[in-house]
Amino acid sequence: MKNVQIALKDVHKAFGNKIVLNGVNLTVQKGESIVIIGGSGTGKSVMLKCILELLKPDKGEIKFNGQQIGMLFQGGALFDSLSVWENVSFAALQQKGMTREKAKKIAIEKLAEVGLKPDVADAYPADLSGGMKKRVGLARAIAMNPDTLFFDEPTTGLDPSMSDVINDLIVRCVKKLGATALTITHDMTSARKIADKIAMLYDGKIIWMGTVAELDKTNNPYVRQFVAGSSKGPIHMEVKAEE
Amino acid sequence: MQKFLTFVNTLGQVMMRFFYATGDLAIFTTKAVMACLRKPFYFKELLRQLIEIGFYSLPVVALTTLFSGMVIAIQTYEAVSKFSAEGAVSMVVLVAVTRELAPVMAALMVAGRIGAAMAAEIGTMRVTEQVDALVTLNTNPFKYLIAPRILAGVLMMPILVLIGDVLGVCGGYMVGVYKMDFNATTYLINTWNYLKAMDIISGLVKAAVFGFIIALMGCYNGFRSKGGAQGVGQATTNAVVSASILIFNYLLTEAFFNM
Ligand SMILES: Nc1ncnc2c1ncn2[C@@H]1O[C@H](COP(=O)(O)OP(=O)(O)OP(=O)(O)O)[C@@H](O)[C@H]1O
Ligand SMILES: [Mg+2]
């Protein structure tokens, strides 16, 4: 059990009467890249926030052994009163002996890693496109060379070739730096590329977990339907057209 | 019987909500005060708030206190006999402005300007997950967001009120000298003679308390806001209303104990 980075045991979370997590069990090993898939609104983001202690689970146990985390929020969550480079170097700027020049240099390096040019460094988040915000969020997440990375939909809103840059970046962080990564995504191409293991969240539980190879062979009807992107199957789509 | 039980049930729920809210505010206040006293301090943020509260509130505070001084002078002049007016006007203006009017006027203006702005800014940060992002970047939101605002409120309100004191007395002087044809020198000498350090100090202490209340309410309501733009709007209103109520509450309590 020494190599366990994240462990969730029977985690429950409800908002009022609405049960979101209903007994989640998940173990992530050190240096592993896990991708969480699951329909919209199934509680993936809530699960992530429980791990980060931003939300308190109603019941259950969460163990987290990381030292330094990096988190990309689904909406970016950039500080809009700060410029792009101050956002990226936010944590670095608070270290002792860090000058603004040095911090800006680090920020520009990190921005380059997510495919952004140095001239965006002085812009403000309000002036960026959705995809650029996402990438600045990514740069901020990796800026402190964290040992555990959390990405909430890193490739949503990016064009396919930029998605690929981000996928490579995540793979590089995990493989080269030995970081542990937990990624939420709806993008199956991306999931296949970055995942050591894929887990599916459905109905408040992790109903399936396995490698990419196992994903294609599984008989689990929920997973098959999700991967095929089909509306026919056991996953109940709550779309009812008015007559 | 059924109706009675429903009534008891509702009453219980209301009480529970009340106690929950009170407890929540108490915990928030404790955390906020602790954050003001312990390292790390974010001096850049503090400076930004000091300028926001002190510098940018100055025009509106200056105007309202100046006019209050003028109005008090006119009212007093009409109320007392014309023969003893010269002494009375200067004294009443001085005492009313330094003890009550400057602190209250400044507080209400700052509550409307700053309390609302704090709730809106922190509320927006809350609903767009920027507050959560702070935590993931090894930064305590209480220290980074709340402590600078509360410190700035407590430090700047007395300064604003001191300026308001001077301007309020000036307002009274202007009305007295230019409209009621009082002797300028006599007015100033009278004012100087009635000047009591205690009046000024109690006004300034009150101002610091009001500054604390305004910043606390702005931060608390912003921090607890939820549900998008509408929630932030609600938080803004709540911040101003609750700060105003607490300010008047304080004044009432004080008046009651001074009787
Ligand atoms: N703070 C909150 N208060 C109340 N309900 C919430 C809160 N946060 C999330 N929820 C609810 O929890 C459910 C799961 O939300 P969550 O954001 O985790 O979905 P998700 O799986 O990340 O979906 P998506 O893929 O669309 O991002 C939703 O139905 C949402 O309405
Ligand atoms: Mg989500």
Side-chain angles (χ1 to χ4, degrees), chain B residues 9-30:
Chain B
N9 188 7
T10 318
L11 190 71
Q13 274 176 6
V14 170
M15 292 300 280
M16 284 300 286
R17 224 170 291 154
F18 174 76
F19 285 128
Y20 177 81
T22 318
D24 190 45
L25 179 59
I27 293 170
F28 185 92
T29 310
T30 317

Side-chain angles (χ1 to χ4, degrees), chain B residues 111-251:
Chain B
R113 259 200 94 245
I114 300 297
M118 284 179 181
E121 196 179 353
I122 297 182
T124 306
M125 290 186 75
R126 165 59 81 195
V127 299
T128 57
E129 300 181 318
Q130 291 176 50
V131 175
D132 291 339
L134 275 179
V135 177
T136 66
L137 293 164
N138 310 333
T139 305
N140 182 339
F142 274 86
K143 295 197 169 141
Y144 185 77
L145 291 177
I146 292 169
R149 285 171 171 77
I150 289 188
L151 284 174
V154 173
L155 292 175
M156 268 304 165
M157 272 299 287
I159 296 177
L160 280 175
V161 167
L162 199 58
I163 297 170
D165 284 347
V166 175
L167 284 170
V169 171
C170 281
Y173 171 87
M174 275 152 68
V175 168
V177 172
Y178 297 113
K179 186 154 179 297
M180 299 158 190
D181 290 327
F182 294 162
N183 181 293
T185 325
T186 324
Y187 191 98
L188 287 179
I189 290 173
N190 275 339
T191 302
W192 182 253
N193 286 341
Y194 288 125
L195 195 63
K196 270 195 266 164
M198 231 10 245
D199 288 345
I200 309 254
I201 291 170
S202 80
L204 296 187
V205 170
K206 214 180 284 182
V209 173
F210 292 164
F212 179 77
I213 291 175
I214 293 166
L216 183 73
M217 284 301 130
C219 293
Y220 176 74
N221 285 293
F223 210 74
R224 288 282 179 266
S225 63
K226 50 181 161 224
Q230 200 192 356
V232 175
Q234 185 74 47
T236 313
T237 316
N238 287 349
V240 178
V241 172
S242 54
S244 309
I245 290 175
L246 283 173
I247 287 166
F248 283 120
N249 212 337
Y250 180 93
L251 291 176

